[in-house]
Amino acid sequence: MRVLGNCPYCNGKVISKKINVRGKQIKLFTCQNSNKEYDESESYVFTADSSCTFRVYSNAFLKWNKRSFSEYEMKNLLKDKQVIVRLHGKKGSKEYFKYVILDKTYGVSILWDEEVEEKVS
Ligand SMILES: [Zn+2]
């Protein structure tokens, strides 16, 4: 468990946890005050003592062929409120860069309309 920064929505800390999803190990970046559990009907819900909903999975951008959103990227996102990520099209197509920002509903979201000027290496 590592602390990555302060939660954008409450006074909690954002921590990184390794979790297992369908046999794959990924990271979960979550506010300490945001916890989920399975209830009696097997739904994955926030626990009664959760006062925050900030949670981001490291595979959030898998759809755009970014395998993992890293702890380093999450740290910078919390610090600067935005971070540049490298995304890929279908196999063999060019990579491109986009800004990622914090999103109250989804944790993170991609700014599709914004062009990224400076490239990250
Ligand atoms: Zn929080």
Side-chain angles (χ1 to χ4, degrees):
M1 188 181 101
R2 293 172 62 180
V3 175
L4 302 180
N6 295 316
C7 175
Y9 308 117
C10 74
N11 293 321
K13 296 258 182 269
V14 175
I15 55 170
S16 167
K17 285 181 188 172
K18 280 196 181 119
I19 58 163
N20 225 297
V21 177
R22 284 179 228 107
K24 280 213 175 96
Q25 192 159 89
I26 62 166
K27 289 197 179 99
L28 167 65
F29 309 124
T30 178
C31 174
Q32 284 178 311
N33 299 321
S34 164
N35 292 297
K36 278 188 161 184
E37 64 183 1
Y38 286 98
D39 68 6
E40 314 82 63
S41 60
E42 300 286 296
S43 304
Y44 198 47
V45 296
F46 285 102
T47 57
D49 64 349
S50 287
S51 55
C52 189
T53 57
F54 186 67
R55 294 163 75 84
V56 175
Y57 294 92
S58 64
N59 64 1
F61 306 116
L62 203 58
K63 206 168 147 189
W64 298 280
N65 298 303
K66 180 172 174 55
R67 278 241 206 106
S68 180
F69 186 60
S70 71
E71 283 185 356
Y72 177 75
E73 287 169 315
M74 190 69 220
K75 234 181 202 170
N76 284 335
L77 175 62
L78 291 171
K79 187 161 60 86
D80 303 332
K81 307 292 175 241
Q82 67 174 34
V83 67
I84 296 169
V85 297
R86 181 165 53 185
L87 305 172
H88 292 267
K90 292 247 167 58
K91 215 173 202 158
S93 70
K94 248 177 69 190
E95 62 184 26
Y96 56 100
F97 296 86
K98 284 288 166 193
Y99 290 109
V100 160
I101 55 164
L102 292 160
D103 186 291
K104 186 109 204 204
T105 310
Y106 301 106
V108 285
S109 66
I110 298 170
L111 277 184
W112 290 112
D113 297 339
E114 206 83 32
E115 293 300 323
V116 173
E117 299 285 336
E118 85 189 87
K119 287 231 171 127
V120 285
S121 52

